[in-house]
Amino acid sequence: MTAAIRLEGLEKVYAGGKRALDGISLEVPRGSMFGLLGPNGAGKSTLINILAGLVMKTGGTAEVWGFDIDRHPRNAKASLGVVPQELLFDAFFTAFETLELQAGLFGVPKERRRTMELLKKVRLDDKAHAYSRTLSGGMKRRLLIAKALVHNPPVVILDEPTAGVDIELRQMLWAYVRELHAAGTTVVLTTHYLEEAEELCDRIAIVNHGRIVADSDTKSLLAQAREKWVQVTVADDIATVPAIEGVTRVELLDSRRLDILYDKQTVQAGAVLARLQAAGLSVVDVTTREADLEDVFLELTGTPLNGG
Ligand code: ADP
């Protein structure tokens, strides 16, 4: 079966000479919920804009639902819905008209339009005839999602769907994205919130400086994180940080608690504890923490991703 999106050596050098994409090869499997992560300037928007037909690539190939964007641009476009980051609308149209207009642009015949059904889905049916400029930020975001779906595309890309929204709306958007995915749509989302990618995506690719630095299922990506923390409580007060062989870092949290960072590929928690005992410390309590996506991200790109 062909991929939902397939990129092969995709390149973009902007007019000024900036190499935004430096040979991206990537496959988004059909039916997946795919996370595209990367620090600011990594090339995510450029990639999305090429697929959406808004930016011309300067090298490589791209396919959406098996349609090459050069050879079958109409079919490629018809297969893709993009939910942009900016809340831009024509202020003089109502929510209903906004969707009707978009359907017209995509050549969806009147009898096949689902305008009210879509508005209901994003819980905006009671706002159908309100001007889009009068909608709240959250409502505008939901209208943008509906707008990306008017032509019923099998692949939907959401660019930072929850950037700057409050927790309640984020939960609602997550629920909606899950519903979309459960109904069979392939979903790609870019996000700054690692927690969001961890929570929603079954596969994650990390882009840095226009290149793919990681591409795997979420579980194995998390397993790539080598560092692990163990926090121990000891029976007696300690004044100075003990030297423990073979660990990355030891920090004194308070007089009886230590935070120890170690590389789980070279040493195990049991050995760390044994070394503590050998240093004369009597351990009374232990908790461990696995590295999360944020740690993996930092390790791979050297850049922390803000938010999350
Ligand atoms: P992201 O979406 O991951 O933040 P972008 O695709 O927006 O990254 O940008 C990738 C790189 O390309 C950045 O260095 C950015 O400054 C540059 N860039 C983006 N758009 C243009 C443009 N129209 N002209 C020149 N450079 C651009």
Side-chain angles (χ1 to χ4, degrees), residues 6-132:
R6 186 203 308 276
L7 311 176
E8 197 63 59
L10 193 65
E11 287 184 12
K12 175 64 187 178
V13 180
Y14 280 106
K18 171 75 204 176
R19 182 172 286 271
L21 298 181
D22 193 15
I24 297 259
S25 296
L26 187 70
E27 271 193 23
V28 174
R30 291 194 181 197
S32 62
M33 178 97 96
F34 198 97
L36 197 60
L37 298 181
N40 269 330
K44 304 179 299 291
S45 308
T46 301
L47 196 161
I48 293 174
N49 287 336
I50 289 172
L51 291 173
L54 301 170
V55 165
M56 296 288 284
K57 62 185 167 60
T58 51
T61 59
E63 278 176 15
V64 183
W65 215 248
F67 297 111
D68 185 284
I69 63 166
D70 292 330
R71 284 182 290 141
H72 304 286
R74 283 175 61 95
N75 285 333
K77 256 185 209 174
S79 306
L80 183 67
V82 177
V83 183
Q85 218 176 102
E86 309 85 42
L87 300 176
L88 280 178
F89 289 100
D90 196 320
F92 300 101
F93 291 112
T94 64
F96 186 90
E97 289 164 345
T98 300
L99 297 192
E100 282 288 314
L101 199 70
Q102 183 77 0
L105 285 177
F106 273 94
V108 182
K110 280 243 188 285
E111 66 278 7
R112 283 187 33 219
R113 294 187 189 167
R114 312 173 291 144
T115 303
M116 275 320 286
E117 182 194 324
L118 275 173
L119 286 172
K120 206 169 260 168
K121 264 209 171 122
V122 295
R123 293 159 197 98
L124 283 177
D125 39 326
D126 57 335
K127 295 283 179 189
H129 303 294
Y131 286 107
S132 53

